[in-house]
Amino acid sequence: MVGGGRGAFIGGVHRIGAAIDGHIELVCGAFSSDPERSRLSGEDLYVPANRVYGSYQEMIEKEKLLPEGERMDFVSIVTPNHVHFGPAKMALENGFHVVCDKPLAFTMEEALELEALVKKTGLIFALTHNYTGYPMVKQARAMVRSGELGKIRKVVVEYPQGWLSKKEEDNNYKQAIWRTDPTQSGIAGAMGDIGTHAENLAEYVTGLQITEMCADISIFVEGRLLDDDGNVLLHFDNGAKGILHASQISAGEENGLNIRVYGEKGGLYWRQEEPNTLLVSRLDKPKEIYRPKITPLSPEANAHIRVPAGHPEGYLEAFANIYRNFALAVQARMAGEAPDPLLDFPTVSDGVRGMRFIEKVIESGKSTAKWVKF
Amino acid sequence: MVGGGRGAFIGGVHRIGAAIDGHIELVCGAFSSDPERSRLSGEDLYVPANRVYGSYQEMIEKEKLLPEGERMDFVSIVTPNHVHFGPAKMALENGFHVVCDKPLAFTMEEALELEALVKKTGLIFALTHNYTGYPMVKQARAMVRSGELGKIRKVVVEYPQGWLSKKEEDNNYKQAIWRTDPTQSGIAGAMGDIGTHAENLAEYVTGLQITEMCADISIFVEGRLLDDDGNVLLHFDNGAKGILHASQISAGEENGLNIRVYGEKGGLYWRQEEPNTLLVSRLDKPKEIYRPKITPLSPEANAHIRVPAGHPEGYLEAFANIYRNFALAVQARMAGEAPDPLLDFPTVSDGVRGMRFIEKVIESGKSTAKWVKF
Amino acid sequence: MVGGGRGAFIGGVHRIGAAIDGHIELVCGAFSSDPERSRLSGEDLYVPANRVYGSYQEMIEKEKLLPEGERMDFVSIVTPNHVHFGPAKMALENGFHVVCDKPLAFTMEEALELEALVKKTGLIFALTHNYTGYPMVKQARAMVRSGELGKIRKVVVEYPQGWLSKKEEDNNYKQAIWRTDPTQSGIAGAMGDIGTHAENLAEYVTGLQITEMCADISIFVEGRLLDDDGNVLLHFDNGAKGILHASQISAGEENGLNIRVYGEKGGLYWRQEEPNTLLVSRLDKPKEIYRPKITPLSPEANAHIRVPAGHPEGYLEAFANIYRNFALAVQARMAGEAPDPLLDFPTVSDGVRGMRFIEKVIESGKSTAKWVKF
Amino acid sequence: MVGGGRGAFIGGVHRIGAAIDGHIELVCGAFSSDPERSRLSGEDLYVPANRVYGSYQEMIEKEKLLPEGERMDFVSIVTPNHVHFGPAKMALENGFHVVCDKPLAFTMEEALELEALVKKTGLIFALTHNYTGYPMVKQARAMVRSGELGKIRKVVVEYPQGWLSKKEEDNNYKQAIWRTDPTQSGIAGAMGDIGTHAENLAEYVTGLQITEMCADISIFVEGRLLDDDGNVLLHFDNGAKGILHASQISAGEENGLNIRVYGEKGGLYWRQEEPNTLLVSRLDKPKEIYRPKITPLSPEANAHIRVPAGHPEGYLEAFANIYRNFALAVQARMAGEAPDPLLDFPTVSDGVRGMRFIEKVIESGKSTAKWVKF
């Protein structure tokens, strides 16, 4: 693992996600750019001292020297955005599969380079667009794909948060500081941090691709350097229209990612904060409440549920689904087998698409032209 | 009453709205442009045969000849959009107060002429933007106005419906036919029918005014002549940003008007389909559920509730609030008194603003420029 | 109308319920036992001064002398419980149909006498167990009756309120004072005021009859004279088991009447505070959300809806359904026709059953035997 | 681990619960009474073959011989009810701490013997009444304890499920078979399986103890040998009244454990299927929605949350809280330190109380006396 030391947030999430299904063991790490912090973090995590490293470079170099079976099988990258590219590139170049947090990289160029490297090496690369790991998101995608809703006409995807309503980056709040800092986050704030999740969710569920956008991007909190709100009109490749909005100043909102999809024959609604419920409408029938295990679901959804009906699964289990699927893909690779097609996960190409979204949505926000091509 | 004969929808709503509080009695009507249908409708409604008229012209002329105290006190206009102007103008010119369904008129010119006429005659004119009649909408407005949410930053107002997902205007469905017919509805379909309600609600609750818009207007159902969906980015006069979308092809949606308002200190959420609940967020406090009578509310809200806590009021009561307030304003006028300032209702100027919205949103939809001034 | 003067609650509800559909006009009243208050209330209500009476006796006597077509067609009784019997009896004896608020009477003896009198006179008698007037309650009943849920096994009916959590009867609060006073309410407090609604709803929806009960009846607020909470186990005549609980000290609850019914093939759930939604479960299928107009419903439900999908109807409309059905039954009687079987309303026999419930639940509360026969 | 082999349900839950926080590693197991099945299960779980045992006796004997630091630190028992006592007793007698699934044992006698043994050995014993591991349940308990709701008057605890609406035990459905079999489950079916969770939750949240019960216990599915439904009236030691009902034939219900608590000053509501929300009412204030991280919560609640606001945690995380707290208590013991008082978990005494509940609720169900002492 690269990153995820004391004080970090997403590193712990990755570790739990990796641990839940018992296929993955944390064997080494460069948990912080501060070697002492890395060492202490390793202790917290029961990682043997000799495999806690002071930098990702050291980790990759030394682990590579260990015998197969003992050395790490893949690298997890859980650092801020500007430290995705370096370790990802080096891991790939040294033959390690990679799990990387989103967005894929700091710049579009880096993203494209990583995509090329994955293609070249043939290694497995998972990007933790974790929200697509939810079973009911799989169900939504399967239903759209099967044509149950008819041709899709309209998509509304929202990602409201309120936690940056005040200038939290001045309050020594680590999560706020790097996310609002262009040198660590890149050209976008909210649109990169959560807007990309919304974009990914919309395209994943519908199977459509955004073709053009019209964005209204704002910084509401005085003195903030990156966007904390954005409202975007969307056009999709089948003629569908859409709205995407993401915000970190929507006071009172928690982590309100949600999507509505309307087709010629029906619609659906899913909301991350109550992720085990999918509302499905069909013209001239009562609205239906799809729920894990009690509702007959698609194989795609069923393959991502661990517990019986009414036992809520949450964010960590969705995250774990990505790790589980990645781990089984790695196992299959080792065994020379094909991976199970039901067990998908976001790839480096989803990451490139996310980076393109960031680039274009910021461009559109600055443009006086109505539409910017994706 | 003008319009509202057999087979109509909104006429019945107006009658119930007028009847609920006991201040208004239906004394005469020109219920249909078909005299026989008008006669039969009058019978259904227990209106004396001699006061059921074959046209609004006849009604206004004959009623005017009746002695005061016996003749009608005001005219309710519940016809399709293209028959608002004629009776409204004639009623005003003959000294009758008016209640008119929205949108105010068929064209902007008509709307401005009516506004001028109201100003000139000093008569009372209510427009049934009924959704602002809900007590919890009054509460929302009062809370924004009092500054409890701080400066408003973002407004999301939605009006999804799904009832025109199929080409219902071909199914001999009267409500669908006139709403999708440019000769009866005007230049807009969904944006005029329900988009104006959304615009009115957003401005009413926030006290802000839209200054510019960027609209993406669509016709999804093949062969339909007017828009059935629209997505709009908004700018408000205090710098707030917003999204407005209205649709009649959002399959599975009923009458889902709702609004979210986010300010520097808090946010609120109201949804027409569960109108007795207002969700209120304040930074660093638990989210609160405001409900009639059990929650201490503003005087504005309390003045529009009829029953104790937990006894749901609905659409008809909100409509009745407009009629009640209008009737009391007329009574106050007759008594030479000032109307109660708590008992407001939408006026001809709100109607003009709604007509401007229709004009501009359609213009923006056709424009390649990003922003169109309101 | 008998009762319902200034300061009353349910009288106003009856008047709105009667007015909504335009079939009923308020023509006279004895609005208060205080003649001056009655007079002033009549003025408020636009009732001609000569038909505002000082007592119900006077009203019935004088109205009877008026010519048919002019005199009142029926009597509405909206007084506290101890003044139901007198006016109801006198109205029936003088040939007037009756609408009476619940519970039917002050004692079981009175109730039986009224039932006998209705049978003898053949007059129409409606009891305002208004909660059965909701369209989705009609739908629930129709679905049980059609066998869609299979044989019913379990019923849970709840009526929690919190408004008497403190000793409101000491706060000069009229609604609290008479409801907690044995000389006005009878032998029961909460169980009579709202427990009877729960009993009526359970039997109405399921078509079953309670055969025995085991009750735990409490007074929680010190110094209160009548029960403010009761928990009851139920047995039904088909072998189903049930729970009924009603409370006025459930702090935070508004008017939370709700019912769950479970059968061999499915279940349903309805809640008065969101009355336009009925949740329906069938084994091995997704749970369904039944809503007016957008869901295909039974004729019984459809006959009680006034507005399109997504336009919420509430408490007053449910009340109006009872008045409308009663009025149409009276009209049919006058016309010598049979009443429409879809347009039912609670009768004097439902009232007798409610009085029996009160008697038995209080008896069971005092008993050390487990079960008391209904 | 004892039990939890292929085809089992709760074993997997225990393993995930143990893995989530990284403090516990699965080192050995007797996963099935069938040695071959045990062996295969061990392989699935990456347990070294030499530490997969054919019986719990073998496991305890052999592990005991391993050097400290290598041998297992505690035993998890995840077998059906009739195989709790044997391994628990043997583990305790051999110096191992124990985590045991509920109910504690097959009979009251066994339960008491285990309680005595825990007391005698001083070992740490956790019972997985997992629902008390939810953060918002901790919050509810803390709020009652702090007196914020005033003296508690009424408790309604429900545990409806519908999964045994048909005779699933005839469908080769392992989970149904043992739960409905008196030789594996004991004297109770639903009341033991889920009724005890409800009892535990009610007493945990309120801090009160049930003193007497009146139960109506049923078998609805023909041919079933143990209760599949029970409705119970409760008296608590402070004078509060309550209702507990649990069911496995409530068609359409999933795993609907929920609790409402009403006190003199307020009330609260929590529902397992949406576990991150706690509704809190205070007289004369708006109802509040308590949610993790965004609402200021008690230290007890905060100590059991892993992720930021709006990232839902679920059943597995609640389970993990018990394992985490148990593991930290074991670590503290090893380090000679006192355990953190915020990190509680259900103990053997909670298990004895659950067994008493089972005994008494079945006794009451058969009794013709109204009340049975707890």
Side-chain angles (χ1 to χ4, degrees):
Chain A
M1 172 164 281
V2 181
R6 289 182 174 187
F9 152 55
I10 204 69
V13 168
H14 278 253
R15 284 192 293 268
I16 294 174
I20 278 181
D21 294 300
H23 300 300
I24 297 169
E25 199 183 342
L26 178 64
V27 293
C28 65
F31 300 109
S32 172
S33 51
D34 168 354
E36 176 63 7
R37 189 180 204 130
S38 184
R39 193 184 64 73
L40 290 169
S41 302
E43 256 179 38
D44 293 349
L45 300 168
Y46 309 99
V47 175
N50 63 328
R51 296 181 75 180
V52 179
Y53 304 99
S55 71
Y56 71 82
Q57 292 90 340
E58 184 194 355
M59 182 179 86
I60 294 174
E61 281 162 16
K62 295 216 173 137
E63 286 287 320
K64 204 183 169 184
L65 302 177
L66 294 177
E68 205 175 329
E70 191 178 331
R71 71 165 174 253
M72 65 182 183
D73 289 320
F74 69 95
V75 175
S76 267
I77 300 166
V78 301
T79 44
N81 304 352
H82 66 308
V83 195
H84 288 180
F85 177 68
K89 184 182 176 195
M90 186 171 170
L92 291 168
E93 288 174 341
N94 286 277
F96 292 104
H97 305 292
V98 171
V99 177
C100 183
D101 210 76
K102 44 59 51 191
L104 176 56
F106 192 69
T107 66
M108 196 63 215
E109 293 65 38
E110 291 178 359
L112 291 169
E113 189 175 339
L114 288 179
E115 188 179 38
L117 207 48
V118 169
K119 186 170 289 182
K120 184 177 141 200
T121 60
L123 291 161
I124 301 174
F125 192 104
L127 194 81
T128 51
H129 267 310
N130 50 290
Y131 297 109
T132 61
Y134 278 110
M136 301 317 279
V137 170
K138 307 284 186 194
Q139 177 65 21
R141 176 177 163 90
M143 293 179 80
V144 173
R145 183 180 281 190
S146 75
E148 287 183 65
L149 307 188
K151 186 184 166 195
I152 301 308
R153 290 169 165 170
K154 181 166 186 170
V155 179
V156 182
V157 63
E158 308 182 321
Y159 203 147
Q161 296 181 333
W163 68 292
L164 292 179
S165 289
K166 293 189 286 190
K167 197 142 183 273
E168 301 292 351
E169 56 268 46
D170 293 351
N171 296 335
N172 196 23
Y173 183 5
K174 183 172 169 172
Q175 297 305 319
I177 290 168
W178 78 258
R179 280 184 173 78
T180 56
D181 175 2
T183 69
Q184 297 186 68
S185 262
I187 60 170
M191 297 315 287
D193 191 30
I194 59 176
T196 48
H197 277 306
E199 169 266 334
N200 180 255
L201 181 66
E203 295 198 341
Y204 184 76
V205 167
T206 63
L208 301 176
Q209 291 211 320
I210 299 167
T211 54
E212 48 185 20
M213 300 192 290
C214 171
D216 191 16
I217 306 294
S218 307
I219 298 175
F220 278 107
V221 172
E222 211 178 308
R224 183 164 286 161
L225 298 176
L226 292 173
D227 57 284
D228 49 22
D229 188 81
N231 304 327
V232 191
L233 304 178
L234 304 174
H235 286 173
F236 290 91
D237 54 2
N238 77 332
K241 305 290 183 79
I243 294 169
L244 179 155
H245 59 104
S247 176
Q248 291 171 328
I249 54 84
S250 292
E253 300 286 355
E254 301 181 11
N255 193 43
L257 177 64
N258 71 83
I259 188 167
R260 285 169 276 175
V261 177
Y262 303 105
E264 292 185 349
K265 297 197 276 178
L268 56 79
Y269 173 51
W270 178 83
R271 190 166 77 87
Q272 192 268 156
E273 291 184 9
E274 200 183 335
N276 300 298
T277 295
L278 178 71
L279 289 180
V280 177
S281 304
R282 288 184 181 81
L283 294 178
D284 308 319
K285 296 187 78 176
K287 189 168 290 198
E288 293 176 324
I289 305 174
Y290 279 57
R291 300 263 304 162
K293 293 298 179 189
I294 193 164
T295 309
L297 299 179
S298 65
E300 290 85 349
N302 281 325
H304 294 85
I305 304 171
R306 288 167 187 79
V307 281
H311 297 67
E313 290 190 283
Y315 173 80
L316 295 170
E317 288 81 4
F319 222 102
N321 281 336
I322 292 186
Y323 265 97
R324 194 263 322 250
N325 292 357
F326 171 80
L328 294 181
V330 169
Q331 282 189 5
R333 173 73 58 89
M334 289 172 171
E337 294 165 5
D340 184 336
L342 291 180
L343 305 184
D344 67 329
F345 51 86
T347 68
V348 72
S349 299
D350 296 296
V352 168
R353 201 151 174 85
M355 290 304 295
R356 184 75 72 198
F357 172 79
I358 292 172
E359 181 186 49
K360 290 298 175 183
V361 84
I362 297 298
E363 178 185 327
S364 173
K366 292 178 178 157
S367 169
T368 57
K370 195 164 179 176
W371 296 103
V372 166
K373 298 278 171 213
F374 193 91
Chain B
M1 172 164 280
V2 181
R6 289 183 173 184
F9 151 55
I10 205 68
V13 168
H14 279 252
R15 284 191 293 269
I16 294 174
I20 278 181
D21 294 300
H23 300 300
I24 296 168
E25 198 182 342
L26 178 64
V27 295
C28 64
F31 300 108
S32 171
S33 51
D34 168 353
E36 176 63 7
R37 190 182 203 128
S38 183
R39 193 185 63 75
L40 290 169
S41 303
E43 257 180 37
D44 293 348
L45 300 168
Y46 308 102
V47 175
N50 63 328
R51 295 182 74 181
V52 179
Y53 304 99
S55 72
Y56 71 82
Q57 293 90 341
E58 183 193 356
M59 182 180 85
I60 294 174
E61 281 162 15
K62 294 215 174 141
E63 286 287 318
K64 204 183 169 184
L65 302 176
L66 295 177
E68 205 177 328
E70 189 178 334
R71 72 168 173 247
M72 65 182 182
D73 289 320
F74 69 94
V75 175
S76 268
I77 301 167
V78 299
T79 45
N81 305 351
H82 66 307
V83 196
H84 287 180
F85 177 70
K89 184 181 176 193
M90 185 171 171
L92 291 169
E93 289 175 340
N94 286 278
F96 292 104
H97 306 293
V98 171
V99 177
C100 183
D101 210 77
K102 45 56 53 190
L104 175 56
F106 192 67
T107 66
M108 196 63 214
E109 293 65 39
E110 291 178 359
L112 291 169
E113 188 174 341
L114 288 179
E115 187 180 37
L117 207 48
V118 169
K119 187 169 287 182
K120 183 176 142 198
T121 60
L123 290 162
I124 301 174
F125 192 104
L127 194 80
T128 52
H129 267 310
N130 50 290
Y131 297 109
T132 60
Y134 278 111
M136 300 319 278
V137 170
K138 306 284 186 194
Q139 176 65 21
R141 175 177 163 91
M143 292 179 80
V144 173
R145 183 179 281 189
S146 75
E148 287 183 65
L149 307 187
K151 189 186 164 193
I152 300 309
R153 289 170 165 169
K154 182 166 187 170
V155 179
V156 183
V157 63
E158 309 181 321
Y159 203 147
Q161 296 181 333
W163 69 291
L164 292 178
S165 289
K166 293 190 286 191
K167 198 143 183 274
E168 302 292 350
E169 55 268 46
D170 293 350
N171 296 336
N172 197 25
Y173 182 6
K174 182 173 170 173
Q175 297 304 321
I177 291 168
W178 77 258
R179 280 184 173 78
T180 56
D181 175 2
T183 68
Q184 296 187 68
S185 263
I187 59 170
M191 297 314 286
D193 192 29
I194 58 176
T196 47
H197 277 305
E199 169 265 335
N200 179 255
L201 182 66
E203 296 197 343
Y204 184 75
V205 166
T206 63
L208 302 175
Q209 290 211 321
I210 299 168
T211 55
E212 48 186 19
M213 300 191 292
C214 171
D216 191 16
I217 306 293
S218 307
I219 298 175
F220 279 106
V221 172
E222 208 178 310
R224 183 164 287 162
L225 298 175
L226 292 174
D227 57 284
D228 48 23
D229 188 80
N231 303 327
V232 191
L233 304 178
L234 303 174
H235 286 172
F236 290 91
D237 54 3
N238 77 332
K241 304 291 183 78
I243 294 168
L244 178 155
H245 59 104
S247 176
Q248 290 170 330
I249 55 81
S250 293
E253 300 286 354
E254 300 180 13
N255 193 44
L257 177 64
N258 71 83
I259 187 166
R260 285 168 278 174
V261 177
Y262 302 105
E264 294 185 349
K265 298 197 275 180
L268 56 80
Y269 173 50
W270 178 82
R271 189 167 78 86
Q272 192 268 154
E273 291 184 8
E274 200 184 335
N276 300 298
T277 295
L278 178 71
L279 289 180
V280 177
S281 303
R282 288 183 183 81
L283 294 178
D284 308 320
K285 297 188 77 175
K287 191 168 286 198
E288 294 175 323
I289 305 173
Y290 279 57
R291 301 262 303 163
K293 292 299 177 188
I294 192 163
T295 309
L297 299 180
S298 65
E300 289 85 349
N302 281 324
H304 295 85
I305 304 171
R306 289 169 186 78
V307 280
H311 295 68
E313 290 190 283
Y315 173 80
L316 295 170
E317 288 81 2
F319 222 101
N321 282 336
I322 292 186
Y323 265 98
R324 194 261 322 248
N325 293 357
F326 170 81
L328 294 181
V330 170
Q331 281 190 4
R333 172 72 59 89
M334 288 171 171
E337 293 164 5
D340 184 337
L342 292 179
L343 306 183
D344 67 328
F345 50 85
T347 67
V348 73
S349 299
D350 295 296
V352 168
R353 203 153 170 82
M355 290 304 295
R356 184 76 71 195
F357 172 79
I358 292 171
E359 181 186 48
K360 290 297 174 182
V361 85
I362 297 299
E363 178 185 327
S364 173
K366 292 178 178 157
S367 170
T368 58
K370 194 164 178 178
W371 295 104
V372 166
K373 298 280 174 211
F374 194 90
Chain C
M1 173 163 280
V2 180
R6 290 182 173 186
F9 151 56
I10 204 68
V13 168
H14 279 252
R15 282 191 295 267
I16 294 174
I20 278 181
D21 294 301
H23 300 300
I24 296 168
E25 197 184 343
L26 177 64
V27 294
C28 64
F31 299 108
S32 171
S33 52
D34 168 353
E36 177 61 8
R37 189 182 204 128
S38 183
R39 192 184 64 75
L40 290 169
S41 303
E43 258 179 37
D44 293 348
L45 300 168
Y46 309 99
V47 175
N50 64 328
R51 294 181 75 178
V52 179
Y53 304 99
S55 72
Y56 72 82
Q57 293 90 341
E58 185 194 352
M59 181 180 86
I60 295 175
E61 281 162 15
K62 294 214 174 141
E63 287 287 320
K64 203 182 169 183
L65 302 177
L66 295 176
E68 206 176 328
E70 189 177 335
R71 71 167 173 247
M72 66 183 182
D73 289 322
F74 69 94
V75 176
S76 268
I77 300 167
V78 300
T79 45
N81 304 351
H82 66 306
V83 195
H84 288 178
F85 177 69
K89 184 180 175 194
M90 187 170 168
L92 291 169
E93 288 175 341
N94 285 277
F96 291 104
H97 306 292
V98 172
V99 177
C100 183
D101 209 78
K102 47 57 51 191
L104 176 57
F106 192 69
T107 66
M108 196 63 214
E109 293 66 39
E110 290 178 0
L112 291 169
E113 189 174 339
L114 288 179
E115 186 178 41
L117 206 49
V118 170
K119 185 169 290 182
K120 185 177 141 199
T121 60
L123 290 161
I124 301 174
F125 192 105
L127 194 80
T128 51
H129 267 309
N130 50 291
Y131 297 109
T132 61
Y134 278 111
M136 301 316 279
V137 169
K138 306 284 186 194
Q139 176 65 20
R141 176 178 163 90
M143 293 180 79
V144 173
R145 185 180 279 188
S146 74
E148 288 183 63
L149 306 188
K151 188 185 165 192
I152 300 308
R153 289 169 166 171
K154 182 166 184 170
V155 179
V156 182
V157 64
E158 307 182 321
Y159 203 148
Q161 295 180 334
W163 68 293
L164 292 178
S165 289
K166 293 189 286 189
K167 197 144 183 272
E168 302 292 350
E169 55 267 46
D170 293 351
N171 296 336
N172 198 25
Y173 183 4
K174 183 174 169 174
Q175 296 304 320
I177 290 168
W178 77 258
R179 280 183 172 78
T180 57
D181 175 1
T183 69
Q184 296 186 70
S185 262
I187 60 170
M191 298 313 286
D193 191 30
I194 59 176
T196 48
H197 277 305
E199 169 267 333
N200 179 255
L201 181 66
E203 296 197 343
Y204 183 76
V205 167
T206 63
L208 301 175
Q209 291 212 320
I210 299 167
T211 55
E212 48 187 19
M213 299 191 291
C214 171
D216 190 17
I217 306 295
S218 306
I219 299 174
F220 277 107
V221 172
E222 211 179 308
R224 185 164 286 162
L225 298 175
L226 291 174
D227 57 283
D228 48 24
D229 188 82
N231 303 327
V232 190
L233 304 177
L234 303 174
H235 285 172
F236 289 91
D237 54 3
N238 77 332
K241 304 291 183 79
I243 294 168
L244 179 155
H245 59 105
S247 175
Q248 291 169 329
I249 55 83
S250 292
E253 300 285 356
E254 301 180 10
N255 194 42
L257 178 64
N258 71 84
I259 187 165
R260 285 168 278 176
V261 177
Y262 303 106
E264 292 184 349
K265 297 197 275 179
L268 57 80
Y269 173 50
W270 178 82
R271 189 167 79 87
Q272 193 269 152
E273 291 183 8
E274 200 184 334
N276 300 299
T277 296
L278 178 71
L279 290 179
V280 177
S281 304
R282 288 183 182 81
L283 294 177
D284 308 319
K285 298 189 76 176
K287 190 169 289 198
E288 294 175 324
I289 305 173
Y290 279 58
R291 300 262 304 163
K293 292 296 177 188
I294 192 162
T295 310
L297 300 180
S298 65
E300 290 85 348
N302 280 326
H304 294 85
I305 303 171
R306 287 169 189 77
V307 280
H311 296 67
E313 290 191 283
Y315 174 80
L316 295 169
E317 287 82 3
F319 222 102
N321 282 336
I322 292 187
Y323 265 96
R324 194 261 323 246
N325 293 357
F326 170 81
L328 294 180
V330 169
Q331 283 189 2
R333 173 72 59 87
M334 288 171 171
E337 294 166 3
D340 184 335
L342 291 179
L343 306 183
D344 67 329
F345 51 85
T347 67
V348 72
S349 299
D350 295 295
V352 168
R353 200 147 175 89
M355 290 303 295
R356 184 74 74 197
F357 171 79
I358 292 171
E359 182 186 46
K360 289 299 174 181
V361 84
I362 297 297
E363 179 185 326
S364 173
K366 292 178 177 157
S367 170
T368 57
K370 194 164 178 177
W371 295 103
V372 165
K373 298 278 173 213
F374 192 89
Chain D
M1 172 164 281
V2 181
R6 290 182 173 186
F9 150 55
I10 203 69
V13 169
H14 279 252
R15 283 191 294 268
I16 294 174
I20 278 181
D21 293 300
H23 300 300
I24 297 169
E25 198 184 342
L26 178 63
V27 294
C28 65
F31 299 108
S32 171
S33 51
D34 167 354
E36 178 62 8
R37 189 182 205 128
S38 183
R39 192 183 63 75
L40 291 169
S41 302
E43 257 179 36
D44 293 348
L45 300 168
Y46 308 100
V47 175
N50 63 327
R51 295 181 76 180
V52 179
Y53 304 98
S55 73
Y56 71 82
Q57 292 91 341
E58 185 194 352
M59 180 179 86
I60 293 174
E61 280 163 14
K62 295 216 172 136
E63 287 286 321
K64 204 183 169 184
L65 301 177
L66 295 176
E68 205 175 329
E70 189 179 333
R71 73 169 172 248
M72 65 182 181
D73 289 320
F74 68 93
V75 176
S76 268
I77 302 166
V78 300
T79 44
N81 304 352
H82 66 305
V83 196
H84 288 180
F85 178 69
K89 185 181 175 193
M90 187 170 167
L92 291 168
E93 288 175 342
N94 285 279
F96 291 104
H97 305 293
V98 172
V99 177
C100 183
D101 209 77
K102 47 56 50 190
L104 176 56
F106 193 68
T107 65
M108 195 64 215
E109 292 66 38
E110 290 178 359
L112 291 169
E113 190 174 338
L114 288 178
E115 186 179 38
L117 207 49
V118 170
K119 187 170 286 182
K120 186 176 140 200
T121 60
L123 289 160
I124 301 174
F125 193 105
L127 194 81
T128 51
H129 267 309
N130 50 291
Y131 297 108
T132 61
Y134 278 110
M136 300 318 278
V137 169
K138 305 285 186 193
Q139 176 66 19
R141 175 178 163 91
M143 292 180 80
V144 172
R145 185 179 278 187
S146 75
E148 286 183 65
L149 307 187
K151 187 184 164 192
I152 301 308
R153 288 169 166 170
K154 181 165 186 171
V155 179
V156 182
V157 63
E158 308 182 321
Y159 203 148
Q161 295 181 334
W163 68 291
L164 292 178
S165 289
K166 293 190 286 190
K167 198 145 182 275
E168 302 291 351
E169 56 267 48
D170 292 352
N171 297 336
N172 197 26
Y173 183 4
K174 183 174 168 171
Q175 297 304 321
I177 291 168
W178 77 257
R179 279 184 173 78
T180 57
D181 175 2
T183 70
Q184 296 186 71
S185 262
I187 60 171
M191 297 314 287
D193 191 31
I194 57 175
T196 49
H197 276 306
E199 169 266 333
N200 179 255
L201 181 66
E203 294 197 344
Y204 184 75
V205 166
T206 62
L208 302 175
Q209 291 212 320
I210 299 167
T211 54
E212 49 187 19
M213 300 191 292
C214 172
D216 191 17
I217 305 294
S218 306
I219 299 174
F220 277 107
V221 172
E222 209 179 309
R224 184 164 286 161
L225 298 176
L226 291 174
D227 57 283
D228 49 23
D229 188 81
N231 303 327
V232 191
L233 305 177
L234 303 174
H235 285 171
F236 290 91
D237 55 3
N238 77 332
K241 304 291 181 79
I243 294 168
L244 179 156
H245 59 104
S247 175
Q248 291 170 329
I249 54 82
S250 292
E253 300 285 355
E254 301 180 12
N255 194 42
L257 177 64
N258 72 84
I259 187 165
R260 284 168 278 176
V261 177
Y262 302 106
E264 292 184 349
K265 298 197 275 181
L268 57 78
Y269 173 51
W270 178 82
R271 189 167 79 86
Q272 193 272 152
E273 290 183 9
E274 200 185 334
N276 301 298
T277 296
L278 177 71
L279 288 179
V280 178
S281 304
R282 288 183 181 82
L283 294 178
D284 307 320
K285 298 188 76 177
K287 190 169 289 198
E288 293 175 324
I289 305 174
Y290 279 56
R291 300 262 304 163
K293 293 297 179 188
I294 193 163
T295 310
L297 299 180
S298 65
E300 289 85 349
N302 280 326
H304 294 85
I305 303 171
R306 288 167 188 78
V307 281
H311 296 68
E313 291 191 284
Y315 173 81
L316 294 169
E317 288 81 2
F319 223 101
N321 282 336
I322 292 186
Y323 265 96
R324 196 262 320 249
N325 292 356
F326 171 80
L328 293 181
V330 169
Q331 281 190 4
R333 172 71 59 88
M334 288 171 170
E337 293 166 3
D340 184 336
L342 290 180
L343 305 184
D344 66 330
F345 51 85
T347 68
V348 72
S349 298
D350 295 296
V352 168
R353 201 149 174 87
M355 291 303 295
R356 184 75 73 196
F357 171 78
I358 292 172
E359 181 186 48
K360 290 300 175 180
V361 84
I362 297 298
E363 179 185 326
S364 173
K366 292 178 177 157
S367 169
T368 57
K370 195 165 180 177
W371 295 103
V372 166
K373 298 279 173 211
F374 192 96

